[in-house]
Amino acid sequence: MRFSVPHTTRSLSALILALPLLLGAAAASAAPHKPGHAKASRKATPAPTAKPKADTDSEFVNFAEWKQVGQFLDDIAAKHQFDRAELDALMAKVRYVDSAIQLMKPAPPGKPKNWQAYRARFVEPVRIDAGVKFWNDNAEALARAESVYGVPADIIVGIIGVETVYGRNTGRFRVLDALTTLAFSYPETPTRLARMEFFRGELESALLFARQGGVDPLSLLGSYAGAVGLPQFMPSSILKHAVDFDGDGRIDLRGSAGDAIGSVAHFLVQHGWQRDLARPFALPVAVSPGRAWEPFIGQGLEAKFRPDELLAAGVSSDTPLPGGRLFGLVDLQNGSEATEYWLGSANFFAITQYNRSYFYAMSVLDLGRAVQLARGM
């Protein structure tokens, strides 16, 4: 969720792909530590990345002449004491990115969701191999994040791997170009006005963070939606949740794997991660033909049902459901094949706050576990 051990073999990674999600013991926890003030004894090694080139699919549009842009600049200049002339000069260099608009358009209807196809994109040999190297290079920072925040290393590794392949794919769009385009020219959808408001907030946050970090905002590269760095934080999440975990006095989610690791863990804690919640965070279950369990599907991204409620509705497990915990019923559709059903704990749903998708959260769990197994073997 940014301005300024030996490597495993490919054949081993392929073997890991066939292994199911294993159930591990809960990670040992330590006393909480105030975020942003941890000092590393050894600075975490950044993921090796080539400097991304800016996207060239853009065109000049004089955004400063747009009435809504002018009103926006007036508002943030007054609210945050920006120099209005400097904002005008900056906006004169911002370009319109049509590909960001196209990528935001909804997918054509009719294509069924397919969990196994989605999983195969992320739990695969290249990502597993890169994850083993990332974990080995940053073992100290991962262990410290687990101690400070209570988030296991495999969860952090899973998120960074799914997001950017450990820094290999952090995006090539100028963040200001993408955010300005989406803030004022979002495609026609039922949620267009709300989405434009969201991206205006992100544009404001990007400008604030650039000023705080002393960074040229036009130097920021990210995704077509404006997400930045190894963990792909939106600018507002940078302001709220990013931490200086490598102790060098600044937050750098583009070049510091340590800052990325600590920031991911801090984000999860701020979104409901429970340090002492035992594994498994997701548990496979079966559902009865009577379908009394259907009302439990689609009830929000949270764990709120007791085991006895789920059992009474026809949800069953090969292992006893842990008492004293709440769950959500998760359906993973597989196209024309049978849907998989899982119970997600509070920590599963904390991951969905990073990306509001069951598929995403399950891929994080599976990739993190696959990397852990490959590294251990």
Side-chain angles (χ1 to χ4, degrees), residues 102-148:
Q102 300 306 318
L103 288 165
M104 277 294 174
K105 290 182 178 179
K111 188 174 182 180
K113 296 180 180 180
N114 191 316
W115 154 239
Q116 289 299 332
Y118 181 97
R119 181 186 186 277
R121 292 167 49 199
F122 298 104
V123 188
E124 47 81 30
V126 170
R127 220 172 286 247
I128 293 172
D129 290 349
V132 170
K133 185 177 189 309
F134 180 84
W135 195 326
N136 289 341
D137 288 347
N138 298 284
E140 185 275 337
L142 288 163
R144 187 158 49 86
E146 186 165 343
S147 175
V148 171

Side-chain angles (χ1 to χ4, degrees), residues 313-374:
V315 177
S316 60
S317 170
D318 290 339
T319 58
L321 297 183
R325 292 173 57 180
L326 299 178
F327 295 93
L329 183 58
V330 174
D331 59 330
L332 301 180
Q333 299 172 41
N334 277 314
S336 60
E337 303 298 321
T339 296
E340 296 179 30
Y341 293 93
W342 293 69
L343 293 183
S345 71
N347 284 353
F348 175 88
F349 288 104
I351 299 171
T352 68
Q353 301 307 308
Y354 207 104
N355 184 313
R356 301 175 68 82
S357 162
Y358 293 160
F359 283 13
Y360 176 88
M362 195 65 72
S363 290
V364 165
L365 294 180
D366 280 7
L367 177 59
R369 179 62 64 186
V371 173
Q372 185 174 46
L373 289 171

Side-chain angles (χ1 to χ4, degrees), residues 264-305:
V264 168
H266 185 236
F267 178 97
L268 290 176
V269 168
Q270 295 297 307
H271 288 83
W273 187 273
Q274 297 180 21
R275 171 187 290 272
D276 297 322
L277 190 64
R279 295 180 189 260
F281 302 139
L283 180 70
V285 294
V287 293
S288 67
R291 308 189 75 82
W293 44 267
E294 276 194 333
F296 293 86
I297 293 289
Q299 294 300 308
L301 299 177
E302 60 179 312
K304 57 184 179 181
F305 301 116

Side-chain angles (χ1 to χ4, degrees), residues 18-196:
L19 297 177
L21 180 67
L22 299 185
L23 310 181
S29 59
H33 189 93
K34 189 173 181 181
H37 293 273
K39 295 290 181 180
S41 58
R42 178 177 59 84
K43 192 166 182 176
T45 304
T49 61
K51 186 176 180 180
K53 295 181 180 180
D55 177 73
T56 56
D57 178 25
S58 58
E59 58 182 302
F60 175 74
V61 171
N62 194 346
F63 278 113
E65 293 182 350
W66 294 22
K67 181 179 179 181
Q68 290 183 324
V69 174
Q71 291 174 341
F72 170 81
L73 297 179
D74 285 341
D75 290 343
I76 65 169
K79 182 179 178 182
H80 301 295
Q81 290 75 55
F82 280 107
D83 183 285
R84 186 63 167 80
E86 290 181 1
L87 288 177
D88 284 336
L90 178 63
M91 196 57 59
K93 301 175 184 177
V94 173
R95 302 178 72 85
Y96 184 93
V97 187
D98 183 66
S99 55
I101 300 295
Q102 300 306 318
L103 288 165
M104 277 294 174
K105 290 182 178 179
K111 188 174 182 180
K113 296 180 180 180
N114 191 316
W115 154 239
Q116 289 299 332
Y118 181 97
R119 181 186 186 277
R121 292 167 49 199
F122 298 104
V123 188
E124 47 81 30
V126 170
R127 220 172 286 247
I128 293 172
D129 290 349
V132 170
K133 185 177 189 309
F134 180 84
W135 195 326
N136 289 341
D137 288 347
N138 298 284
E140 185 275 337
L142 288 163
R144 187 158 49 86
E146 186 165 343
S147 175
V148 171
Y149 297 111
V151 180
D154 61 290
I155 302 299
I156 301 171
V157 168
I159 285 177
I160 296 177
V162 169
E163 289 292 340
T164 62
V165 198
Y166 309 101
R168 295 185 185 185
N169 302 325
T170 57
R172 59 190 179 87
F173 293 84
R174 290 202 313 185
V175 167
L176 248 60
D177 292 348
L179 291 177
T180 305
T181 300
L182 295 170
F184 298 100
S185 188
Y186 197 86
E188 291 292 342
T189 66
T191 60
R192 181 174 188 261
L193 293 179
R195 298 301 289 166
M196 289 172 69

